[in-house]
Amino acid sequence: MNVGIITIFPEYFEGVVKTGMIRKAIENNLLDIVFENPRNYATDRYKSVDDYPYGGGSGMVMKYDTLKQAIENARAKVSGPVIYMSPQGTPFHQAYAKDLAKEEGFILVCGRYEGIDERLMSIVDEEISIGDYVLSGGEPAAAVVLDAVVRLIPGVLGDENSLSEESFEHNLLEYPQYTRPSHVDGMDVPDVLLSGHHGNIARWRLKERLKRTLVKRPDMLKDIHLSQEEKELLAEVKKEILETLSMLGV
Ligand code: 9D3
């Protein structure tokens, strides 16, 4: 996969490309990242990439020409959609990451200042937001999208990935995990995990996933089709929670 990143702060990504899974993907030729800096296309003596907004107001706007040239130079090397990282974009989610992982490549445009000249939207194909909070620029958002997509490229992670992320595995929260020692600071590992009984372990884990999802993300249960076993376990969980609440007098 080829990814283009358009940014006036390429140094922001130094750690990103040198670390962990993304570093390995690059080393194994599964990923190539091309950086383009609009600053390199600035022609005035201040190397301007921004200017005052027409109509007045606070802040600066990224200029059309330098950003356009950076995008077009990336486009010559990278195929796929031009994606503008924007607070007004489509909310990013796992299904979006899966769609991007199927592309030959894509170009992430990182904005700075108050935004980009609106006429650049004529060369933008998609807009992505990573959530409802204010960042100072698109770079951290691009790093998030890159991470979420690269780990889905076949061969980047082990095959454990492809198995557990198939659609038949539900979107439930994960079960609790433990590792050695079995006793620490007065806390034990649940007996069932030490029992070696694989059937009981699988059932306990599924029940814990349902419990966590119910307590932490009840909204997620709305969209899930539950099997008969899952319905029974969820009923047990609800009963136990109500028993605990009544015991506490709530
Ligand atoms: C204070 C500036 N804001 C007025 C209320 C507008 C604004 C402009 C530029 C807010 C944020 C930004 C920079 N943000 C991004 O480039 C960005 C972003 C984000 O802020 N939140 C979530 N996803 C993204 S993707 C790109």
Side-chain angles (χ1 to χ4, degrees):
M1 172 174 286
N2 294 307
V3 175
I5 299 182
I6 314 302
T7 174
I8 61 167
F9 295 127
E11 65 273 20
Y12 182 92
F13 295 91
E14 276 174 25
V16 170
V17 300
K18 281 199 325 207
T19 308
M21 159 205 72
I22 292 179
R23 179 195 188 136
K24 285 198 184 114
I26 295 168
E27 284 172 358
N28 295 334
N29 293 317
L30 295 168
L31 173 67
D32 189 30
I33 306 182
V34 168
F35 290 95
E36 283 287 346
N37 187 344
R39 189 84 61 193
N40 295 339
Y41 303 99
T43 49
D44 64 313
R45 61 193 178 115
Y46 308 105
K47 297 237 170 248
S48 316
V49 291
D50 62 322
D51 206 340
Y52 298 96
Y54 273 119
S58 63
M60 302 293 275
V61 175
M62 288 190 89
K63 289 165 71 69
Y64 183 85
D65 203 55
T66 44
L67 193 49
K68 182 191 166 169
Q69 286 197 53
I71 294 169
E72 299 216 314
N73 278 279
R75 204 168 213 173
K77 305 170 213 164
V78 179
S79 45
V82 173
I83 303 169
Y84 173 41
M85 304 311 301
S86 157
Q88 294 159 43
T90 305
F92 190 59
H93 52 255
Q94 190 62 20
Y96 205 141
K98 285 186 187 180
D99 285 343
L100 288 178
K102 293 177 200 146
E103 298 278 357
E104 211 177 302
F106 51 87
I107 296 170
L108 300 175
V109 179
C110 305
R112 281 273 152 178
Y113 315 107
E114 280 306 291
I116 65 177
D117 188 305
E118 187 65 24
R119 292 165 292 187
L120 285 156
M121 295 313 291
S122 62
I123 55 171
V124 166
D125 301 306
E126 302 171 25
E127 284 182 274
I128 291 180
S129 161
I130 61 161
D132 293 338
Y133 36 82
V134 180
L135 302 173
S136 53
E139 285 81 5
V144 165
V145 169
L146 184 67
D147 190 285
V149 174
V150 170
R151 61 185 294 286
L152 298 176
I153 300 172
V156 167
L157 294 190
D159 274 341
E160 83 275 1
N161 181 41
S162 51
L163 289 174
S164 70
E165 295 202 39
E166 281 308 326
S167 53
F168 59 79
E169 264 276 325
H170 295 140
N171 295 318
L172 293 172
L173 298 182
E174 296 297 332
Y175 51 77
Q177 308 249 37
Y178 301 85
T179 187
R180 293 188 293 178
S182 67
H183 182 87
V184 69
D185 284 345
M187 296 175 284
D188 288 314
V189 174
D191 283 336
V192 62
L193 298 179
L194 308 174
S195 70
H197 191 302
H198 300 302
N200 287 352
I201 291 171
R203 200 172 155 79
W204 180 85
R205 284 178 166 169
L206 181 55
K207 186 170 175 179
E208 290 298 317
R209 293 183 72 186
L210 289 159
K211 186 188 297 175
R212 278 195 168 179
T213 310
L214 177 69
V215 171
K216 297 186 181 185
R217 289 293 304 276
D219 58 298
M220 284 172 62
L221 286 173
K222 290 259 178 290
D223 328 319
I224 294 176
H225 175 82
L226 297 176
S227 68
Q228 192 52 42
E229 185 192 26
E230 288 165 336
K231 285 179 186 162
E232 286 166 19
L233 289 171
L234 186 58
E236 280 182 35
V237 166
K238 287 181 186 172
K239 188 161 153 277
E240 287 164 14
I241 289 173
L242 288 176
E243 281 165 4
T244 305
L245 287 173
S246 91
M247 209 163 67
L248 294 168
V250 182

